[in-house]
Amino acid sequence: MIRAGSVFLLTMLAIVGCAQKANNKKDDPGPGNTLLWKIEGNGLQKPSWLFGTIHMLCKDDAELSDNMKQVISDCDVVYLEMDLDNIFEMMGAFSKLKMTGDTTLRQLLSEVDYAKVKSFFEKKSTLLPFSVLETYKPMMASSLLSEGEMPCEGATSMEQIIMMAAKGKGKKIKGLETMAQQAGFLDSIPYKYQAAELVKYIDSSGTENGDNKEMAELFDAYRNQDLKRLEALMVDSEAGMSSFADILLYNRNATWVLKLKTLMAEKSLLVAVGAGHLPGNKGVISLLRKAGYKVTPVENKRIKTKEI
Protein backbone atom coordinates (compact mmCIF):
# COMPACT_ATOMS: atom_id res chain seq x y z
CA MET A 1 0.00 0.00 0.00
CA ILE A 2 2.82 2.41 0.65
CA ARG A 3 3.78 2.55 -3.00
CA ALA A 4 0.29 3.53 -4.12
CA GLY A 5 -0.20 5.98 -1.29
CA SER A 6 3.18 7.59 -1.73
CA VAL A 7 2.20 8.90 -5.16
CA PHE A 8 -0.12 11.39 -3.46
CA LEU A 9 1.64 11.79 -0.14
CA LEU A 10 2.93 15.13 -1.43
CA THR A 11 -0.55 16.53 -0.86
CA MET A 12 -0.71 15.72 2.83
CA LEU A 13 2.83 16.87 3.53
CA ALA A 14 2.25 20.17 1.77
CA ILE A 15 -0.96 20.91 3.62
CA VAL A 16 -0.12 19.78 7.15
CA GLY A 17 3.02 20.08 7.00
CA CYS A 18 16.94 6.61 7.73
CA ALA A 19 19.37 9.09 7.40
CA GLN A 20 22.74 7.43 6.61
CA LYS A 21 26.18 9.07 6.79
CA ALA A 22 28.02 10.23 3.71
CA ASN A 23 30.79 7.76 4.30
CA ASN A 24 28.33 4.90 3.76
CA LYS A 25 28.89 3.58 0.23
CA LYS A 26 25.18 2.89 -0.21
CA ASP A 27 24.57 6.65 -0.24
CA ASP A 28 26.77 7.09 -3.31
CA PRO A 29 24.78 6.60 -6.53
CA GLY A 30 26.28 4.36 -9.18
CA PRO A 31 27.98 5.89 -12.23
CA GLY A 32 24.84 5.62 -14.37
CA ASN A 33 22.32 6.59 -11.71
CA THR A 34 20.85 10.06 -11.50
CA LEU A 35 17.58 11.87 -10.78
CA LEU A 36 18.49 14.91 -12.92
CA TRP A 37 18.03 14.99 -16.72
CA LYS A 38 18.58 17.67 -19.37
CA ILE A 39 16.02 18.20 -22.16
CA GLU A 40 17.22 19.67 -25.47
CA GLY A 41 16.53 19.66 -29.19
CA ASN A 42 13.27 19.48 -31.12
CA GLY A 43 13.33 23.23 -31.71
CA LEU A 44 13.94 24.33 -28.12
CA GLN A 45 15.75 27.65 -27.87
CA LYS A 46 16.89 26.91 -24.32
CA PRO A 47 17.22 23.61 -22.47
CA SER A 48 14.88 22.46 -19.74
CA TRP A 49 15.48 19.93 -16.97
CA LEU A 50 13.64 17.03 -15.40
CA PHE A 51 14.15 15.95 -11.79
CA GLY A 52 12.75 13.00 -9.86
CA THR A 53 11.47 13.84 -6.39
CA ILE A 54 10.26 11.77 -3.47
CA HIS A 55 7.32 13.11 -1.55
CA MET A 56 8.59 12.09 1.88
CA LEU A 57 12.12 11.52 3.16
CA CYS A 58 14.36 12.14 6.15
CA LYS A 59 15.60 15.72 6.44
CA ASP A 60 19.25 14.61 6.45
CA ASP A 61 18.73 13.17 2.96
CA ALA A 62 16.95 16.26 1.61
CA GLU A 63 19.86 18.08 0.01
CA LEU A 64 20.39 19.48 -3.46
CA SER A 65 23.48 18.76 -5.51
CA ASP A 66 25.56 21.62 -6.91
CA ASN A 67 24.28 20.82 -10.41
CA MET A 68 20.68 20.91 -9.18
CA LYS A 69 21.27 24.28 -7.50
CA GLN A 70 22.70 25.58 -10.77
CA VAL A 71 19.67 24.33 -12.70
CA ILE A 72 17.35 26.18 -10.32
CA SER A 73 19.42 29.30 -10.87
CA ASP A 74 19.43 28.93 -14.66
CA CYS A 75 15.80 27.99 -15.35
CA ASP A 76 12.96 30.47 -15.84
CA VAL A 77 10.14 28.60 -14.06
CA VAL A 78 9.88 25.63 -11.69
CA TYR A 79 7.02 23.20 -12.29
CA LEU A 80 5.96 20.73 -9.61
CA GLU A 81 3.16 18.18 -9.88
CA MET A 82 0.97 20.73 -8.12
CA ASP A 83 1.40 24.42 -7.32
CA LEU A 84 2.28 24.20 -3.64
CA ASP A 85 2.84 27.95 -3.50
CA ASN A 86 -0.84 28.68 -4.20
CA ILE A 87 -2.40 29.32 -0.79
CA PHE A 88 -5.94 29.32 -2.18
CA GLU A 89 -5.39 25.89 -3.70
CA MET A 90 -4.08 24.59 -0.39
CA MET A 91 -6.93 26.09 1.65
CA GLY A 92 -9.50 24.09 -0.28
CA ALA A 93 -7.48 20.89 -0.35
CA PHE A 94 -8.96 19.12 2.66
CA SER A 95 -12.49 19.05 1.26
CA LYS A 96 -11.21 17.46 -1.95
CA LEU A 97 -9.59 14.62 0.00
CA LYS A 98 -12.91 13.42 1.42
CA MET A 99 -14.76 10.52 -0.17
CA THR A 100 -17.73 11.51 -2.30
CA GLY A 101 -21.31 10.87 -1.26
CA ASP A 102 -20.54 11.17 2.46
CA THR A 103 -18.94 7.71 2.33
CA THR A 104 -17.10 6.56 5.44
CA LEU A 105 -14.81 3.65 6.28
CA ARG A 106 -17.56 2.10 8.39
CA GLN A 107 -19.59 1.61 5.20
CA LEU A 108 -16.68 0.05 3.33
CA LEU A 109 -15.46 -2.47 5.91
CA SER A 110 -16.82 -5.30 7.97
CA GLU A 111 -17.41 -4.59 11.65
CA VAL A 112 -14.29 -6.55 12.58
CA ASP A 113 -12.04 -4.74 10.09
CA TYR A 114 -13.52 -1.35 10.94
CA ALA A 115 -12.84 -1.91 14.65
CA LYS A 116 -9.28 -2.99 13.81
CA VAL A 117 -8.61 0.13 11.72
CA LYS A 118 -10.17 2.45 14.28
CA SER A 119 -8.15 0.94 17.12
CA PHE A 120 -4.93 1.15 15.10
CA PHE A 121 -5.40 4.83 14.25
CA GLU A 122 -6.36 5.76 17.80
CA LYS A 123 -3.15 4.19 19.09
CA LYS A 124 -1.03 5.96 16.49
CA SER A 125 -0.06 9.59 16.67
CA THR A 126 -1.50 11.06 13.47
CA LEU A 127 -2.07 14.66 12.51
CA LEU A 128 -5.83 14.22 12.22
CA PRO A 129 -8.31 12.39 14.49
CA PHE A 130 -9.86 9.17 13.26
CA SER A 131 -13.29 10.79 13.18
CA VAL A 132 -11.97 12.98 10.36
CA LEU A 133 -9.73 10.41 8.68
CA GLU A 134 -12.53 7.87 8.28
CA THR A 135 -14.21 10.22 5.80
CA TYR A 136 -11.03 10.58 3.73
CA LYS A 137 -10.06 8.50 0.74
CA PRO A 138 -8.36 5.47 2.35
CA MET A 139 -5.13 5.92 0.37
CA MET A 140 -4.68 9.28 2.05
CA ALA A 141 -5.25 7.74 5.47
CA SER A 142 -2.58 5.17 4.65
CA SER A 143 -0.22 7.96 3.66
CA LEU A 144 -0.52 9.55 7.09
CA LEU A 145 0.34 6.22 8.68
CA SER A 146 3.33 5.89 6.36
CA GLU A 147 4.64 9.25 7.54
CA GLY A 148 4.51 7.94 11.10
CA GLU A 149 6.70 4.99 10.11
CA MET A 150 9.58 7.20 8.94
CA PRO A 151 12.98 5.90 10.18
CA CYS A 152 13.87 9.34 11.53
CA GLU A 153 12.36 12.10 13.63
CA GLY A 154 12.28 14.81 10.99
CA ALA A 155 10.55 14.30 7.64
CA THR A 156 10.24 16.60 4.65
CA SER A 157 9.78 16.39 0.87
CA MET A 158 12.10 17.21 -1.99
CA GLU A 159 9.38 19.51 -3.30
CA GLN A 160 9.68 21.65 -0.19
CA ILE A 161 13.46 21.81 -0.53
CA ILE A 162 13.20 22.77 -4.20
CA MET A 163 10.57 25.41 -3.46
CA MET A 164 12.80 27.05 -0.85
CA ALA A 165 15.75 27.15 -3.25
CA ALA A 166 13.57 28.45 -6.11
CA LYS A 167 12.09 31.22 -3.97
CA GLY A 168 15.59 32.20 -2.94
CA LYS A 169 16.38 32.74 -6.60
CA GLY A 170 13.14 34.59 -7.29
CA LYS A 171 11.75 31.84 -9.52
CA LYS A 172 8.05 31.35 -10.18
CA ILE A 173 6.56 28.06 -9.02
CA LYS A 174 3.70 26.46 -10.93
CA GLY A 175 1.90 23.12 -11.09
CA LEU A 176 1.27 20.60 -13.86
CA GLU A 177 -1.97 19.59 -12.15
CA THR A 178 -4.53 21.02 -9.74
CA MET A 179 -5.56 19.62 -6.38
CA ALA A 180 -8.98 18.78 -7.81
CA GLN A 181 -7.36 16.73 -10.58
CA GLN A 182 -5.21 14.77 -8.15
CA ALA A 183 -8.19 14.06 -5.92
CA GLY A 184 -10.09 12.87 -8.97
CA PHE A 185 -7.45 10.26 -9.73
CA LEU A 186 -8.11 8.62 -6.37
CA ASP A 187 -11.85 8.73 -7.01
CA SER A 188 -11.16 6.51 -10.04
CA ILE A 189 -9.90 3.74 -7.75
CA PRO A 190 -12.79 1.96 -5.96
CA TYR A 191 -13.05 3.04 -2.33
CA LYS A 192 -13.65 -0.57 -1.28
CA TYR A 193 -10.31 -1.55 -2.83
CA GLN A 194 -8.56 1.33 -1.10
CA ALA A 195 -10.16 0.37 2.22
CA ALA A 196 -9.14 -3.28 1.80
CA GLU A 197 -5.56 -2.18 1.10
CA LEU A 198 -5.65 -0.05 4.25
CA VAL A 199 -6.55 -3.15 6.26
CA LYS A 200 -3.69 -5.06 4.61
CA TYR A 201 -1.34 -2.23 5.53
CA ILE A 202 -2.39 -2.43 9.15
CA ASP A 203 -2.16 -6.24 9.21
CA SER A 204 1.41 -6.12 7.89
CA SER A 205 2.52 -3.19 10.05
CA GLY A 206 5.48 -4.15 12.20
CA THR A 207 6.00 -7.51 10.52
CA GLU A 208 9.26 -8.54 8.87
CA ASN A 209 7.74 -8.21 5.41
CA GLY A 210 5.61 -5.19 6.22
CA ASP A 211 5.62 -1.69 4.78
CA ASN A 212 8.49 -0.60 7.05
CA LYS A 213 10.75 -2.86 5.02
CA GLU A 214 9.25 -1.64 1.74
CA MET A 215 9.69 1.99 2.80
CA ALA A 216 13.34 1.36 3.70
CA GLU A 217 13.89 -0.21 0.26
CA LEU A 218 12.18 2.75 -1.41
CA PHE A 219 14.35 5.29 0.43
CA ASP A 220 17.49 3.30 -0.34
CA ALA A 221 16.66 3.22 -4.06
CA TYR A 222 16.02 6.96 -4.01
CA ARG A 223 19.30 7.72 -2.21
CA ASN A 224 21.10 5.64 -4.84
CA GLN A 225 19.14 7.44 -7.60
CA ASP A 226 18.28 4.03 -9.01
CA LEU A 227 15.28 4.68 -11.26
CA LYS A 228 14.95 1.05 -12.37
CA ARG A 229 14.75 -0.11 -8.78
CA LEU A 230 12.23 2.62 -7.96
CA GLU A 231 10.08 1.53 -10.88
CA ALA A 232 10.15 -2.07 -9.67
CA LEU A 233 9.22 -1.09 -6.13
CA MET A 234 6.40 1.26 -7.14
CA VAL A 235 4.88 -0.50 -10.13
CA ASP A 236 6.02 -4.04 -10.84
CA SER A 237 5.25 -5.67 -7.52
CA GLU A 238 1.85 -7.37 -7.21
CA ALA A 239 1.37 -5.67 -3.86
CA GLY A 240 2.06 -2.28 -5.40
CA MET A 241 -0.06 -0.12 -7.64
CA SER A 242 0.36 -2.11 -10.86
CA SER A 243 -3.42 -2.55 -11.21
CA PHE A 244 -3.87 1.22 -11.29
CA ALA A 245 -0.62 2.30 -12.94
CA ASP A 246 -2.50 3.87 -15.86
CA ILE A 247 -4.50 6.09 -13.50
CA LEU A 248 -1.72 7.04 -11.12
CA LEU A 249 1.24 7.18 -13.50
CA TYR A 250 1.01 6.55 -17.22
CA ASN A 251 -2.01 8.65 -18.22
CA ARG A 252 -0.64 11.54 -16.20
CA ASN A 253 2.81 11.15 -17.79
CA ALA A 254 1.34 11.41 -21.28
CA THR A 255 -0.74 14.47 -20.32
CA TRP A 256 2.31 16.18 -18.80
CA VAL A 257 4.46 15.63 -21.88
CA LEU A 258 1.79 17.15 -24.13
CA LYS A 259 1.67 20.18 -21.85
CA LEU A 260 5.46 20.44 -21.65
CA LYS A 261 5.77 20.64 -25.44
CA THR A 262 4.12 24.07 -25.30
CA LEU A 263 5.68 25.23 -22.04
CA MET A 264 9.29 24.33 -22.95
CA ALA A 265 8.99 26.13 -26.27
CA GLU A 266 8.35 29.36 -24.37
CA LYS A 267 10.66 29.15 -21.36
CA SER A 268 13.39 27.10 -19.72
CA LEU A 269 11.79 24.87 -17.10
CA LEU A 270 12.78 22.73 -14.16
CA VAL A 271 10.14 20.01 -13.99
CA ALA A 272 10.26 18.24 -10.62
CA VAL A 273 7.88 15.29 -10.32
CA GLY A 274 7.82 12.02 -8.41
CA ALA A 275 10.75 9.82 -9.42
CA GLY A 276 8.37 6.97 -10.19
CA HIS A 277 7.12 8.97 -13.18
CA LEU A 278 10.54 9.05 -14.89
CA PRO A 279 11.57 5.48 -15.82
CA GLY A 280 10.05 2.84 -18.09
CA ASN A 281 8.65 2.71 -21.59
CA LYS A 282 5.71 4.89 -20.51
CA GLY A 283 7.80 7.11 -18.25
CA VAL A 284 8.37 10.81 -18.85
CA ILE A 285 11.96 10.32 -20.05
CA SER A 286 10.91 7.80 -22.71
CA LEU A 287 7.87 9.84 -23.78
CA LEU A 288 9.96 12.98 -24.21
CA ARG A 289 12.44 11.06 -26.36
CA LYS A 290 9.63 9.64 -28.46
CA ALA A 291 8.38 13.21 -28.93
CA GLY A 292 11.73 14.13 -30.50
CA TYR A 293 13.64 15.61 -27.58
CA LYS A 294 17.17 14.71 -26.53
CA VAL A 295 17.06 13.70 -22.86
CA THR A 296 20.43 13.07 -21.24
CA PRO A 297 21.50 12.30 -17.65
CA VAL A 298 23.18 14.99 -15.55
CA GLU A 299 25.40 14.09 -12.61
CA ASN A 300 23.52 14.68 -9.38
CA LYS A 301 25.92 13.56 -6.65
CA ARG A 302 25.62 15.34 -3.34
CA ILE A 303 28.74 16.05 -1.32
CA LYS A 304 28.12 15.83 2.41
CA THR A 305 30.71 16.55 5.05
CA LYS A 306 31.50 13.85 7.56
CA GLU A 307 30.59 14.39 11.16
CA ILE A 308 33.55 14.85 13.50
Side-chain angles (χ1 to χ4, degrees):
M1 185 63 189
I2 181 172
R3 291 184 291 273
S6 66
V7 173
F8 291 94
L9 187 56
L10 161 62
T11 302
M12 297 305 298
L13 289 176
I15 298 168
V16 298
C18 98
Q20 297 182 7
K21 307 303 179 187
N23 57 346
N24 186 331
K25 292 183 179 179
K26 292 180 71 177
D27 280 352
D28 185 25
N33 293 353
T34 186
L35 298 167
L36 182 59
W37 299 75
K38 189 175 185 179
I39 308 168
E40 302 172 285
N42 202 20
L44 294 184
Q45 298 301 309
K46 297 189 292 185
S48 286
W49 291 268
L50 178 67
F51 182 77
T53 67
I54 189 169
H55 305 327
M56 179 177 67
L57 78 168
C58 297
K59 285 185 178 180
D60 285 357
D61 290 322
E63 294 188 9
L64 302 177
S65 69
D66 288 343
N67 281 344
M68 183 61 174
K69 293 175 183 177
Q70 188 63 51
V71 165
I72 293 174
S73 179
D74 291 343
C75 73
D76 297 319
V77 185
V78 173
Y79 270 86
L80 306 176
E81 290 184 24
M82 192 175 69
D83 183 0
L84 301 180
D85 203 34
N86 186 334
I87 187 64
F88 298 106
E89 179 84 357
M90 295 298 102
M91 287 175 62
F94 275 118
S95 63
K96 297 182 177 71
L97 298 179
K98 297 183 69 173
M99 289 185 277
T100 59
D102 295 324
T103 304
T104 67
L105 273 177
R106 185 184 288 275
Q107 297 171 303
L108 301 172
L109 299 172
S110 67
E111 289 186 13
V112 173
D113 283 341
Y114 177 77
K116 179 193 301 181
V117 172
K118 182 178 180 182
S119 175
F120 189 86
F121 269 96
E122 289 176 344
K123 291 177 181 177
K124 289 282 185 180
S125 177
T126 56
L127 294 171
L128 297 172
F130 181 74
S131 59
V132 174
L133 284 174
E134 69 172 331
T135 66
Y136 277 32
K137 295 160 190 178
M139 277 190 178
M140 298 311 305
S142 298
S143 295
L144 275 181
L145 288 178
S146 298
E147 183 181 357
E149 301 295 336
M150 288 287 290
C152 54
E153 292 185 0
T156 186
S157 72
M158 282 307 301
E159 287 83 1
Q160 290 173 319
I161 302 301
I162 291 169
M163 281 180 62
M164 290 176 59
K167 286 184 176 181
K169 294 292 184 179
K171 306 296 180 178
K172 290 185 177 179
I173 300 168
K174 297 187 177 182
L176 293 172
E177 297 169 339
T178 65
M179 182 66 211
Q181 287 175 316
Q182 289 208 350
F185 300 139
L186 289 186
D187 285 328
S188 301
I189 301 174
Y191 293 155
K192 272 189 171 294
Y193 174 87
Q194 294 186 41
E197 289 296 297
L198 175 58
V199 173
K200 288 182 182 178
Y201 176 98
I202 290 173
D203 285 339
S204 67
S205 179
T207 65
E208 183 178 349
N209 296 316
D211 273 7
N212 288 355
K213 179 181 178 182
E214 293 178 359
M215 183 178 289
E217 292 177 350
L218 186 69
F219 289 157
D220 190 58
Y222 189 80
R223 288 189 201 98
N224 293 326
Q225 305 188 54
D226 188 344
L227 293 181
K228 289 185 178 180
R229 180 61 178 152
L230 283 170
E231 181 184 22
L233 287 169
M234 298 182 69
V235 179
D236 293 344
S237 171
E238 288 183 6
M241 62 182 189
S242 55
S243 300
F244 302 100
D246 283 340
I247 295 173
L248 298 179
L249 286 178
Y250 303 142
N251 293 344
R252 298 168 69 203
N253 293 348
T255 299
W256 291 348
V257 170
L258 284 176
K259 188 171 185 176
L260 290 175
K261 288 181 180 179
T262 299
L263 295 174
M264 293 189 302
E266 299 171 351
K267 294 183 178 180
S268 175
L269 313 180
L270 166 60
V271 182
V273 297
H277 290 278
L278 270 59
N281 189 49
K282 297 180 181 180
V284 175
I285 292 173
S286 178
L287 293 179
L288 285 170
R289 287 171 173 167
K290 291 175 182 177
Y293 298 97
K294 179 182 178 183
V295 185
T296 54
V298 178
E299 187 178 274
N300 187 53
K301 292 184 179 181
R302 299 171 302 160
I303 300 176
K304 297 173 68 175
T305 58
K306 295 182 180 180
E307 294 183 359
I308 299 176

